[in-house]
Amino acid sequence: MTVDNQHEPQPLVLVADDEPDVLGAVVPFLERSGFRVLAAGDGLLALDEIHRHDPDVCVLDVLMPGADGRQVLRRLRQEENWVPVLLLTQVGEAVERAMALEEGADDYLNKPFDPHELVARIRAVLRRTHTDGPPLATAPVLASSFGLRLDRVGRRAWLGQRELVITPKGFTLLEYLMVHQDELIERSRLLEILWGFEEAVGTRAVDSRVAELRRVLGEDAAEPRWIATVQGRGYRFVGEVRGEEGQRAL
């Protein structure tokens, strides 16, 4: 299923979901938003379509027959296929989200979702994956300006030659901001990433983690090198970020 041909090819998006109502709403919306679209009703069909058509980005439901979204993701990464993957997850499943990101998903979106939000996430994923080097979501090492480096496999970070002492949640926060470089990340989104909906904590907890990172990095909030505050909204990682292979970490 595709949109009408354009002089310049539009991004090809594969959407896999076993709910006909979801596909019936999402596919035409994406087409109206300027994408070419492939649809699949289960994970095995999705894998077949990915191998046949090489889409620019995949949107996969985590709960599908045949193979669920995370199984499809693992299969792709085992094949060293780095096509960007956005997972559709269930509200409140923080463990599912964390595992999906660790396994190489580029982003996730909770169901039910606003189709406008899906379009925004797809465009953001496409922007940050069209870079030199490995995609940021799957790169073993994230490197930024002023010597900041994150070893995502060893869960360690350095600033120049100095190893940083960061709490696990602080590391996860910095990692997410770097992967989503130059995007405004709302406080509510970061709260969801770090604690999930099931934990009763407020957005002030996010501010505390950001303050922790700034102390560790020695960063001035008024003149940020890495993490800028977007007043009343959230945060943006303003340093350049590139992905590197593990052997180039340090």
Side-chain angles (χ1 to χ4, degrees):
M1 187 180 301
T2 62
V3 295
D4 53 336
N5 293 329
Q6 305 290 329
H7 293 300
E8 294 185 6
Q10 297 299 305
L12 178 61
V13 179
L14 172 106
V15 182
D17 198 302
D18 64 325
E19 298 181 47
D21 289 347
V22 173
L23 291 180
V26 169
V27 170
F29 190 88
L30 291 178
E31 290 176 331
R32 291 194 300 272
S33 299
F35 298 103
R36 296 176 294 142
V37 186
L38 297 166
D42 64 57
L44 295 179
L45 287 174
L47 279 168
D48 184 54
E49 292 290 330
I50 292 166
H51 293 145
R52 289 174 56 202
H53 297 285
D54 192 23
D56 295 291
V57 63
C58 299
V59 179
L60 308 175
D61 186 21
V62 294
L63 299 177
M64 290 187 292
D68 64 36
R70 283 182 49 220
Q71 290 173 322
V72 173
L73 171 64
R74 285 196 295 270
R75 173 80 172 271
L76 292 171
R77 298 310 184 233
Q78 287 166 2
E79 296 171 355
E80 298 189 354
N81 184 330
W82 307 114
V83 59
V85 171
L86 189 152
L87 291 180
L88 302 178
T89 66
Q90 301 302 309
V91 172
E93 293 295 331
V95 174
E96 284 284 342
R97 294 194 297 270
M99 293 178 67
L101 293 172
E102 288 178 5
E103 290 170 349
D106 294 79
D107 210 342
Y108 72 88
L109 189 61
N110 286 320
K111 297 176 74 175
F113 55 86
D114 183 340
H116 292 89
E117 178 70 8
L118 176 61
V119 168
R121 294 289 174 83
I122 289 172
R123 287 176 175 158
V125 165
L126 289 171
R127 279 197 305 272
R128 66 175 179 265
T129 52
H130 289 169
T131 59
D132 295 332
L136 297 184
T138 56
V141 174
L142 298 175
S144 187
S145 48
F146 304 102
L148 177 61
R149 264 184 165 80
L150 263 68
D151 174 1
R152 304 172 76 190
V153 179
R155 309 301 287 176
R156 301 169 73 186
W158 282 263
L159 188 57
Q161 299 300 311
R162 176 171 64 93
E163 184 169 359
L164 303 175
V165 180
I166 306 178
T167 63
K169 276 190 167 57
F171 188 97
T172 298
L173 172 60
L174 182 57
E175 178 184 31
Y176 192 82
L177 288 171
M178 291 181 72
V179 168
H180 297 79
Q181 184 266 340
D182 203 36
E183 294 179 35
L184 165 60
I185 311 297
E186 303 274 356
R187 283 181 174 84
S188 57
R189 177 73 168 176
L190 293 173
L191 183 65
E192 185 183 311
I193 291 291
L194 294 174
W195 286 278
F197 286 117
E198 57 268 29
E199 294 203 30
V201 295
T203 54
R204 291 286 186 185
V206 173
D207 298 335
S208 296
R209 294 297 175 181
V210 171
E212 168 203 325
L213 286 178
R214 284 174 169 156
R215 285 195 301 271
V216 170
L217 294 169
E219 174 160 83
D220 181 357
E223 297 181 5
R225 292 178 169 184
W226 300 286
I227 304 171
T229 301
V230 181
Q231 196 66 34
R233 300 285 301 280
Y235 299 94
R236 188 192 311 274
F237 195 90
V238 294
E240 292 295 325
V241 182
R242 66 183 181 278
E244 295 184 352
E245 301 298 342
Q247 63 268 27
R248 297 174 58 196
L250 294 169

